[in-house]
Amino acid sequence: MNDSAIIGMLFERSDEAIKELSGKYKNYCSTIARNILHNEEDTEECLNDTWLKVWSLIPPERPNKLSVFIGRITRNLAIDRYRNRKAEKNGSGETKACLDELYECVGDGESFSDNLILKDVINRFLGTLKEENRKVFMLRYWYMFPIKSIGERFGMSEGAVKMSLQRTRHNLKEYLEKEGIEI
Amino acid sequence: MKKNEKLLEIIGEADERFIPELEEKKKQKPFMKWAAVGGGVCVAAAIALFVMGGGIGSNPSVDVSGTTTTITLPNTYSGQNTTTTPAVTIHPGGPSGGGFGMSAVLVYDISELGNANPWTEECEISTLPVFKNNAYWTQYGATYLNLEQRKAIASDIASDLGLEIKDESAEYISDITGGRMPEWQEDLLVNYTAYCDGEAKYNCQWVNIDVGGDGTVTINFTHGNSLPEEYSFTYYQTTNEEAVKTLEYLAERYNAVIGYNSPNLNTYADRLITGNQNRKYKVFDSSDDIVESILGYNFSTVEFAPSDSGELMLIRIKDSLSCAEKIDDYPIISLDEAKASLFNGNCITNIPSEYLDGGVITEELIGRTELIYLDSDKEEFFIPYYLFYVELNQSQYAEDYLPEGMKEYGMYYVPAISSEHISEIELYDGSMN
């Protein structure tokens, strides 16, 4: 079933919509949640939360691209769950590694003052990247794939992936500084 | 929140054009599984359940605590295959395999569920047909009909609507998997859509016609299709009388698409958790013959769906028997026999046992009984079931969970064909497919 039909069913409030949604996107969302949480039980619960969240958001929302819409929800829910687990000192998975790597760009000081500006800067920065570098960067920091897995997807060695990420992070740091973002 | 945490969060808000598509690396088996106990094919099925609230037509909710509840069914359906009719396997996709939400309805009074099901307790039927569903789903949905067959269906529908197909799209399994499946699977068609310009005839820029692998046609009026002002067409505010009038208009307006000799109207409404009604607008193919009418009610249906602003948003046409083969006529058990099974706990449901006092169903709790077929593409065989709406114990709910006076009825299914014709039952294992 295509996405517009699923969205149509959600607008109808048909419970079939959730079946179709989970049937089509379970693997996709599982991948995202598992990358972040590294825990099957948490991943399963995160997916349940995702379907519920989608049900509560559509309608009124009508996403242009359903996969990204759902993936973003899963990602945010998984990060929230990761934070809660971290608070319980059980944090694990790729999230911690990603945070450590991003520490190179911005440190771990108190948060930025203006999220909207930062979001705009990040989007502009992503627009400056070559497609392959951007894909590697987003697979790492949006989907939070392990380095090895990214290499397998692009036919790259782990070292090459690390190098690509390191350069992109370095460029990001310079870009943020140039844009006046306090690091 | 620290800066590196905030940066990770903001990256998550990146514009969608920067988020790469993700090819799936591997496929998982469909969600059903069952446990065979002892010799032969006796089945004890453990149903792990997610859900602690919601219901069909209401806001589904999930068990966010992550706990599960288990019901163990006794060894009832032991296939002996003592007759000449072939035994069928039940993989219920509807009652317990839906994968989301508790199979339950909310109403203030069970009479609100009154629908046009031609079956009544007075019907004298000794046999009913069982069908093999050739469009039984793959992980990507039903893929039985090929491109040419779906094009032909879309072309007929477009012609009936007085529209011309301007463009079309087809999505194969290979498009989804990126070439990681066996070749014969890669070529299976998942989605097909024909795009028609609806500006002149329906005052709607595009009319999209999706044709599923099981022949289900969904006509999407992408910007709504207005009805004359005198018709009320909403989920929440249209009374039964108004709905009948609207449905009569729609059945007449789209008569060419529906194409039934004896169209019968079917409108009813359960409730959302807010107390608002959730109305359905359907037409089915009727007949003077009761068995044909039952088949029409369950398999040959047209559903009209309104938009939030009361326009016609979608027409869904189902004709599930067009992709099925009749196996045979099977003797059916009586309603009393079905109730006996139900009272013994031999039924298919995903309702946690604690929603029943002492986990027991009694006659007094049954609010409504129907005989139905499940016609989703997740049914390998189309077999008849007795469907019992059983009032649930509300002590499980938070105090203000339901509006005052609202009741929740759980749906419990008992196969209507006798157990010697059933070889196995697969039951929902609690996973989200």
Side-chain angles (χ1 to χ4, degrees):
Chain A
M1 179 174 285
N2 65 29
D3 290 347
S4 64
I6 293 175
I7 291 169
M9 290 171 75
L10 284 164
F11 269 80
E12 284 184 70
R13 313 313 284 157
S14 165
D15 60 335
E16 290 288 320
I18 299 299
K19 274 193 267 185
E20 297 294 347
L21 194 70
S22 59
K24 186 167 183 179
Y25 287 110
K26 180 187 177 180
N27 290 347
Y28 173 74
C29 294
S30 294
T31 304
I32 296 170
R34 197 175 288 117
N35 284 343
I36 296 168
L37 296 163
H38 273 219
N39 178 295
E40 284 308 309
E41 187 181 341
D42 279 359
T43 296
E44 197 68 41
E45 288 174 17
C46 186
L47 293 199
N48 288 344
D49 292 353
T50 298
W51 313 139
L52 184 62
K53 188 84 174 175
V54 172
W55 178 269
S56 69
L57 291 176
I58 305 174
E61 292 209 36
R62 191 184 284 275
N64 290 326
K65 198 167 185 181
L66 189 59
S67 60
V68 172
F69 182 80
I70 295 174
R72 204 191 303 273
I73 289 171
T74 303
R75 183 183 186 275
N76 291 341
L77 289 170
I79 289 175
D80 283 346
R81 192 172 283 270
Y82 165 82
R83 285 194 186 117
N84 291 338
R85 285 229 322 266
K86 187 182 166 197
E88 296 166 4
K89 300 189 185 305
N90 290 321
S92 62
E94 289 302 316
T95 316
K96 185 173 184 310
C98 288
L99 286 170
D100 289 343
E101 291 163 15
L102 291 177
Y103 171 82
E104 291 177 22
C105 291
V106 293
D108 64 354
E110 286 307 303
S111 193
F112 302 97
S113 56
D114 193 326
N115 292 344
L116 284 177
I117 289 177
L118 182 60
K119 182 178 170 182
D120 179 55
V121 170
I122 293 293
N123 273 324
R124 280 189 279 123
F125 170 73
L126 291 171
T128 67
L129 295 178
K130 289 181 180 173
E131 186 178 6
E132 184 177 290
N133 292 339
R134 183 169 63 234
K135 281 183 175 175
V136 169
F137 185 83
M138 294 302 274
L139 282 182
R140 182 62 175 160
Y141 301 116
W142 201 95
Y143 287 106
M144 287 184 245
F145 273 109
I147 301 280
K148 183 179 179 185
S149 177
I150 296 170
E152 287 169 354
R153 284 170 184 269
F154 288 104
M156 299 164 68
S157 67
E158 286 187 49
V161 174
K162 284 180 183 173
M163 183 61 71
S164 169
L165 288 170
Q166 193 176 42
R167 284 180 180 154
T168 306
R169 288 196 304 269
H170 176 76
N171 290 341
L172 173 60
K173 184 178 181 183
E174 286 190 343
Y175 196 86
L176 291 173
E177 287 171 339
K178 196 178 86 180
E179 291 294 324
I181 303 292
E182 190 180 341
I183 296 176
Chain B
M1 188 182 294
K2 295 179 175 176
K3 283 183 174 174
N4 53 347
E5 293 173 340
K6 176 54 70 179
L7 181 57
L8 193 69
E9 184 178 295
I10 294 291
I11 290 170
E13 299 302 316
D15 195 295
E16 65 184 30
R17 69 182 187 275
F18 297 134
I19 299 164
E21 295 284 349
L22 207 57
E23 293 174 352
E24 293 192 15
K25 292 188 76 176
K26 64 175 184 178
K27 296 297 147 208
Q28 297 173 344
K29 289 176 66 179
F31 57 83
M32 301 293 186
K33 68 179 182 185
W34 63 284
V37 176
V41 286
C42 297
V43 172
I47 311 175
L49 297 160
F50 272 106
V51 180
M52 298 295 153
I56 288 176
S58 67
N59 294 313
S61 61
V62 295
D63 174 16
V64 292
S65 69
T67 57
T68 59
T69 305
T70 300
I71 298 175
T72 301
L73 298 180
N75 302 339
T76 304
Y77 301 111
S78 52
Q80 303 302 312
N81 296 341
T82 54
T83 64
T84 54
T85 47
V88 299
T89 307
I90 301 177
H91 315 258
S96 54
F100 196 90
M102 196 162 79
S103 293
V105 291
L106 296 168
V107 289
Y108 285 109
D109 188 282
I110 193 66
S111 63
E112 292 178 295
L113 283 185
N115 57 33
N117 190 337
W119 179 87
T120 65
E121 295 184 20
E122 288 71 41
C123 284
E124 294 181 0
I125 304 170
S126 57
T127 64
L128 279 170
V130 169
F131 303 87
K132 183 175 189 314
N133 177 17
N134 291 325
Y136 183 47
W137 85 315
T138 67
Q139 186 169 1
Y140 302 95
T143 54
Y144 180 64
L145 298 182
N146 63 29
L147 180 61
E148 294 309 313
Q149 290 166 318
R150 296 198 213 186
K151 275 186 175 183
I153 291 171
S155 176
D156 286 347
I157 294 289
S159 172
D160 290 339
L161 288 169
L163 297 173
E164 186 182 343
I165 295 174
K166 299 287 188 185
D167 198 1
E168 60 184 0
S169 68
E171 186 178 37
Y172 293 85
I173 285 181
S174 56
D175 297 325
I176 298 172
T177 63
R180 295 167 197 273
M181 302 293 282
E183 196 171 335
W184 69 272
Q185 287 185 21
E186 295 286 353
D187 293 337
L188 294 176
L189 179 60
V190 179
N191 299 312
Y192 170 79
T193 303
Y195 304 93
C196 308
D197 182 349
E199 195 75 56
K201 196 158 176 86
Y202 295 98
N203 192 29
C204 167
Q205 188 178 5
W206 288 104
V207 178
N208 298 344
I209 302 170
D210 294 336
V211 183
D214 62 350
T216 297
V217 175
T218 306
I219 304 166
N220 290 289
F221 296 92
T222 53
H223 290 88
N225 177 11
S226 301
L227 276 65
E229 279 185 8
E230 62 264 36
Y231 298 108
S232 172
F233 188 41
T234 69
Y235 291 113
Y236 313 129
Q237 294 167 326
T238 305
T239 65
N240 201 59
E241 292 71 25
E242 290 170 333
V244 168
K245 188 177 158 194
T246 301
L247 204 43
E248 284 173 344
Y249 164 78
L250 290 170
E252 176 66 27
R253 173 91 166 87
Y254 296 97
N255 181 45
V257 176
I258 296 171
Y260 299 154
N261 291 327
S262 304
N264 206 334
L265 309 183
N266 183 22
T267 180
Y268 57 94
D270 60 355
R271 297 276 168 180
L272 302 175
I273 202 164
T274 56
N276 287 331
Q277 69 170 11
N278 179 37
R279 180 161 292 285
K280 302 286 186 188
Y281 301 83
K282 296 183 179 181
V283 177
F284 67 94
D285 197 7
S286 187
S287 166
D288 292 335
D289 180 85
I290 181 62
V291 173
E292 288 300 316
S293 272
I294 290 171
L295 296 180
Y297 173 79
N298 287 283
F299 295 111
S300 298
T301 61
V302 176
E303 181 170 8
F304 299 93
S307 67
D308 289 344
S309 52
E311 297 172 317
L312 176 60
M313 184 181 73
L314 183 149
I315 304 174
R316 180 171 294 115
I317 305 165
K318 296 199 75 171
D319 183 14
S320 303
L321 293 187
S322 65
C323 293
E325 297 169 43
K326 180 177 172 179
I327 299 174
D328 209 341
D329 290 315
Y330 283 70
I332 63 169
I333 62 174
S334 68
L335 179 57
D336 286 341
E337 289 172 305
K339 281 185 180 175
S341 282
L342 177 74
F343 297 151
N344 286 327
N346 302 325
C347 56
I348 299 167
T349 189
N350 62 4
I351 308 292
S353 59
E354 53 265 42
Y355 281 70
L356 298 166
D357 279 331
V360 174
I361 298 173
T362 60
E363 180 80 46
E364 294 69 35
L365 293 175
I366 300 175
R368 179 178 174 81
T369 306
E370 293 187 47
L371 185 140
I372 56 100
Y373 283 82
L374 297 167
D375 76 331
S376 90
D377 59 9
K378 298 179 182 65
E379 302 296 324
E380 186 175 8
F381 296 94
F382 295 140
I383 78 161
Y385 292 88
Y386 287 102
L387 165 58
F388 297 94
Y389 292 89
V390 176
E391 187 174 348
L392 302 179
N393 178 353
Q394 297 192 18
S395 64
Q396 293 294 322
Y397 308 147
E399 197 171 324
D400 57 353
Y401 174 66
L402 293 179
E404 190 174 351
M406 184 177 281
K407 297 174 181 176
E408 188 162 29
Y409 285 84
M411 298 161 79
Y412 293 76
Y413 296 77
V414 174
I417 62 175
S418 47
S419 58
E420 65 263 31
H421 300 291
I422 300 172
S423 63
E424 303 166 0
I425 295 182
E426 289 191 3
L427 290 177
Y428 179 43
D429 72 345
S431 65
M432 299 286 289
N433 59 357

